[in-house]
Amino acid sequence: MTRRRKIYEGKAKILYEGPEPGTLIQYFKDDATAFNAQKRGTISGKGVINNRVSEHVFTRLAHIGIPTHFIRRLNMREQLVRQVDIIPIEVVVRNVAAGSISTRLGIEEGTPLPHTLLEYYYKDDALGDPLIAEEHIACFNWASHEEMQDISAMAIRINDFLCGMFAAVGIRLVDFKLEFGRLWEGEFARIILADEISPDGCRLWDIETGEKLDKDRFRRDLGGETEAYQEVARRLGLMPEEGEGAVLDLVSHRLRKGR
């Protein structure tokens, strides 16, 4: 049996060498981390659900013209993606005050923002992914002005689409994280969406109850992490196991009731 060559292992995923030049296999783990990996644990089945949710989201985004690294899902935990040079910037798109912005600026969590806010963070675990301004990005040449225009325009368009997609299934998209990369085509590169979009990197609240359906349940020791992730997948129509459906409906009902 041939051992696959590991390219990179992060907190939630492993990247392996792909079957063809310019491709990678992205493996989704059940490992969960928070507060820059100071808190560690496991959410059972998280990798399987994140793989399906991210596949669904990236496929839907491709349909509206957003270029992404996603090629196809290979199995329950793996997907084939295009190899890109990741830009060392995390883009956080905020619609409602929650998490660090509430702490930093003293804004009550749950307060709708006057308009969608884009924040940029420098990707460096050792530094705690510090908040940066566009002036930092230009000064240190992490991305060009033209690349940042593409990134910000795509981020806003992705947000508009995902807000509607999640609202249609009774979920409020509070905020979420995006990563982008350069896809080289000869001597030229274009910016495409990379990484994943899943309950790991989104804050997703039930529109009616405000129940958290994302990794904040792990961050804040609320419990019910697996059930919350499953509920997101169920509402998006990504839970194909009929036998599991009745159990998930019961669990989701209890979750919404706060039991």
Side-chain angles (χ1 to χ4, degrees):
M1 185 175 179
T2 304
R3 177 184 289 272
R4 295 184 300 184
R5 185 165 72 93
K6 183 190 295 186
I7 303 297
Y8 171 80
E9 181 168 1
K11 290 174 283 191
K13 294 183 296 296
I14 304 173
L15 294 176
Y16 295 99
E17 187 176 45
E20 300 172 359
T23 66
L24 296 171
I25 293 173
Q26 184 166 250
Y27 175 92
F28 289 77
K29 303 192 291 185
D30 284 349
D31 296 0
T33 63
F35 311 117
N36 197 29
Q38 294 180 25
K39 179 178 181 179
R40 296 177 179 271
T42 300
I43 300 175
S44 179
K46 174 175 80 75
V48 174
I49 292 173
N50 284 352
N51 187 19
R52 292 297 307 278
V53 171
S54 195
E55 172 200 19
H56 178 75
V57 172
F58 274 57
T59 300
R60 295 285 302 275
L61 290 174
H63 289 163
I64 65 164
I66 300 294
T68 83
H69 75 159
F70 178 79
I71 299 174
R72 67 178 182 274
R73 184 168 59 88
L74 298 174
N75 53 49
M76 291 179 67
R77 289 186 179 270
E78 295 179 331
Q79 53 185 232
L80 185 67
V81 300
R82 296 174 180 86
Q83 187 169 14
V84 299
D85 291 337
I86 292 291
I87 291 175
I89 299 164
E90 291 184 351
V91 181
V92 174
V93 185
R94 299 186 183 276
N95 300 304
V96 178
S100 64
I101 194 171
S102 292
T103 304
R104 281 186 281 116
L105 302 181
I107 304 172
E108 184 179 0
E109 185 163 276
T111 303
L113 299 178
H115 59 79
T116 298
L117 177 67
L118 299 185
E119 291 183 335
Y120 305 109
Y121 295 80
Y122 180 52
K123 279 176 57 64
D124 189 313
D125 289 343
L127 299 176
D129 298 335
L131 178 68
I132 56 175
E134 289 193 59
E135 285 78 7
H136 294 98
I137 298 169
C139 179
F140 298 110
N141 199 31
W142 291 323
S144 70
H145 176 69
E146 292 76 16
E147 287 175 330
M148 289 307 300
Q149 285 185 316
D150 289 344
I151 286 171
S152 60
M154 274 195 275
I156 292 297
R157 192 171 179 209
I158 291 166
N159 180 60
D160 289 344
F161 179 80
L162 294 186
C163 280
M165 186 190 80
F166 281 115
V169 294
I171 294 175
R172 175 173 290 112
L173 181 58
V174 173
D175 59 40
F176 62 105
K177 174 181 73 70
L178 296 172
E179 293 189 23
F180 295 87
R182 297 182 183 95
L183 179 65
W184 288 92
E185 298 167 336
E187 297 180 0
F188 300 95
R190 61 188 176 106
I191 298 297
I192 68 172
L193 179 65
D195 195 44
E196 66 173 301
I197 298 178
S198 73
D200 260 14
C202 304
R203 281 192 172 88
L204 304 169
W205 295 355
D206 181 275
I207 286 178
E208 293 186 2
T209 67
E211 194 74 39
K212 293 176 173 59
L213 303 173
D214 54 68
K215 200 166 74 170
D216 266 353
R217 302 198 71 85
F218 172 77
R219 291 187 187 97
R220 304 183 184 190
D221 297 316
L222 299 175
E225 298 95 341
T226 298
E227 293 83 1
Y229 279 55
Q230 289 175 338
E231 175 68 1
V232 172
R234 188 189 69 80
R235 293 196 193 186
L236 292 173
L238 305 177
M239 299 297 294
E241 299 293 338
E242 292 185 6
E244 204 173 13
V247 176
L248 286 175
D249 285 341
L250 177 60
V251 169
S252 300
H253 175 73
R254 289 177 176 173
L255 179 65
R256 288 193 293 269
K257 294 298 185 181
R259 296 178 185 173

